[in-house]
Amino acid sequence: MKKKVTISQVAEQAGVSKTTISRFLNGQYGNMSTETKERIAAVIEELNYRPNRQAQALKSKRSYLIGVVVADISNMYSSLLLKGIGAVLEKNGYQMIIMDAANSVKQEHDLLEKLLDQGVEAIILQPSSRNAANYQFIQEYHVPLLLVDRQTEPAIWPLVTTNNQETVEEILRQALQKDYQKVVVVSEPLQDVTTREIRYQTVKEVTEKMGKAHELLEIKSTTNLKENVLAVLAQPEHSLLFASNGRVLMKLLTILIEEKVSIPQQIGITGFDDWNLTALVGPGITSIEQQSQQIGEVAAEKLVDFLKNAEELAQEMIVPSKIQWRNSI
């Protein structure tokens, strides 16, 4: 059996102390020179050294574990978010424990309790509920909590999100200069998530200012979305569909394609998210592309800075979205 490489062997070959190796592994570089960091990294790779995280945790009384709970792991937003978080945490010597709440507040609560039982040092959460009371119990454990994507009410914890209001305003102002008389917002229930509410309220304000009509179609388990879309098409007004997220946008596009609806001649369509797929649909779909991976990176970087250097977390950190202008409006 191959003998495990020790931290002493790494230190000896790199020509530094065990303390320096430990500081390197924990991302605590201090005044460590670039040459020293590169030499240590080369030795670790050459020896295929794998630090014993359990031993480190016992010695330092730290777990180096970060819990990450997403609302729906099947959503492309979550996949890219996790990719961004994971890359930053790995680089800084932390391990990520991923949990999927499956859009269930109860399941989310159980998962959060399990993470706390495992001694995570912090939690990154895409909350399934907008009610801050559902997360108050975390404060009893004195574990830092950082939200991504969605804020709670009241806003207690720091948040990394995108500029929802600004991008919705911009895309609608451009679209409504054309011959649309109505904007139909298609969304999952607003009451569950603050970002959905923000996006709908922005549409409402912009349409009212520009003298256009607006309508809200909330998708529930009993909703026949195809029937509702066909009803919008049957109306005399030239309408613009606005999807509140990527899952809704894909559902709408599937219906329009199946029904051979001409976009944007019969109906316009736009919304969140892009994911590069909408460039391939119909005439190319104008959409708002959230920088999901970058949101994850920013969240992880800020949390690591807080844990290592006690740098205060801002209440709200914005990662701007990009509008991909195509031909669907």
Side-chain angles (χ1 to χ4, degrees):
M1 184 181 292
K2 188 176 180 181
K3 194 173 181 181
K4 185 174 175 64
V5 177
T6 67
I7 191 170
S8 296
Q9 290 172 299
V10 176
E12 183 180 354
Q13 186 157 328
V16 297
S17 67
K18 288 196 297 182
T19 302
T20 300
I21 299 296
S22 179
R23 284 171 47 220
F24 175 87
L25 293 171
N26 295 323
Q28 297 170 345
Y29 305 123
N31 296 322
M32 196 181 299
S33 69
T34 301
E35 181 186 352
T36 300
K37 286 189 284 185
E38 289 176 351
R39 187 168 68 252
I40 292 171
V43 170
I44 286 173
E45 184 176 358
E46 180 186 341
L47 298 180
N48 193 26
Y49 173 67
R50 295 173 61 83
N52 187 326
R53 291 298 181 188
Q54 287 183 321
Q56 283 184 314
L58 287 171
K59 187 175 180 180
S60 65
K61 296 183 180 179
R62 294 187 59 186
S63 68
Y64 296 95
L65 298 175
I66 304 296
V68 183
V69 183
V70 294
D72 179 8
I73 205 166
S74 67
N75 192 312
M76 184 69 78
Y77 179 95
S78 300
S79 300
L80 294 171
L81 181 77
L82 291 170
K83 184 176 181 180
I85 294 171
V88 172
L89 293 184
E90 182 180 8
K91 184 174 65 177
N92 286 278
Y94 290 87
Q95 294 183 29
M96 176 171 62
I97 303 177
I98 301 170
M99 299 286 197
D100 175 24
N103 293 309
S104 165
V105 177
K106 182 183 183 306
Q107 181 167 316
E108 179 185 66
H109 183 90
D110 293 341
L111 295 175
L112 289 168
E113 286 190 328
K114 287 178 181 177
L115 288 173
L116 293 168
D117 290 342
Q118 291 182 60
V120 295
E121 292 195 20
I123 294 173
I124 297 174
L125 171 68
Q126 182 191 27
S128 295
S129 168
R130 68 198 297 173
N131 186 357
N134 288 319
Y135 310 107
Q136 292 279 12
F137 73 98
I138 297 173
Q139 293 180 317
E140 299 170 12
Y141 292 81
H142 304 289
V143 171
L145 175 63
L146 175 61
L147 306 183
V148 288
D149 184 29
R150 309 163 175 179
Q151 186 55 278
T152 58
E153 293 178 344
I156 298 174
W157 297 278
L159 168 73
V160 182
T161 188
T162 194
N163 53 337
N164 289 286
Q165 185 173 343
E166 182 180 299
T167 50
V168 173
E169 285 179 354
E170 184 179 351
I171 209 165
L172 282 185
R173 285 200 185 104
Q174 295 261 13
L176 293 179
Q177 289 176 9
K178 301 183 180 181
D179 64 342
Y180 295 106
Q181 287 88 45
K182 180 194 287 187
V183 178
V184 180
V185 178
V186 186
S187 174
E188 291 162 322
L190 300 186
Q191 66 176 8
D192 297 339
V193 177
T194 53
T195 49
R196 297 174 195 164
E197 179 76 34
I198 291 167
R199 291 168 189 175
Y200 168 66
Q201 288 298 331
T202 303
V203 171
K204 183 174 181 290
E205 290 168 11
V206 172
T207 51
E208 287 176 350
K209 284 179 183 176
M210 297 186 71
K212 307 286 185 176
H214 70 271
E215 181 181 327
L216 172 63
L217 171 56
E218 289 186 277
I219 303 175
K220 301 175 183 176
S221 57
T222 56
T223 302
N224 186 326
L225 185 57
K226 180 177 179 179
E227 187 177 284
N228 280 274
V229 170
L230 294 177
V232 172
L233 280 162
Q235 295 170 3
E237 300 98 339
H238 189 202
S239 296
L240 173 68
L241 296 174
F242 183 92
S244 65
N245 63 31
R247 183 168 47 244
V248 172
L249 183 58
M250 290 302 130
K251 286 181 179 179
L252 290 173
L253 288 171
T254 299
I255 293 168
L256 296 179
I257 291 167
E258 287 176 350
E259 295 298 313
K260 297 181 172 55
V261 175
S262 179
I263 303 171
Q265 289 78 12
Q266 288 178 265
I267 196 166
I269 184 167
T270 187
F272 290 80
D273 286 278
D274 186 71
W275 303 329
N276 298 320
L277 299 175
T278 45
L280 308 175
V281 179
I285 307 303
T286 293
S287 58
I288 299 168
E289 179 184 349
Q290 294 187 90
Q291 303 299 294
S292 313
Q293 185 171 334
Q294 191 179 347
I295 288 173
E297 290 169 357
V298 169
E301 285 165 0
K302 296 298 182 184
L303 193 57
V304 167
D305 285 344
F306 175 79
L307 292 172
K308 288 185 175 181
N309 308 312
E311 288 190 14
E312 189 174 348
L313 289 166
Q315 187 61 27
E316 185 174 77
M317 293 156 274
I318 300 294
V319 177
S321 290
K322 296 178 181 177
I323 298 178
Q324 301 292 353
W325 295 102
R326 300 192 181 98
N327 303 301
S328 65
I329 59 176

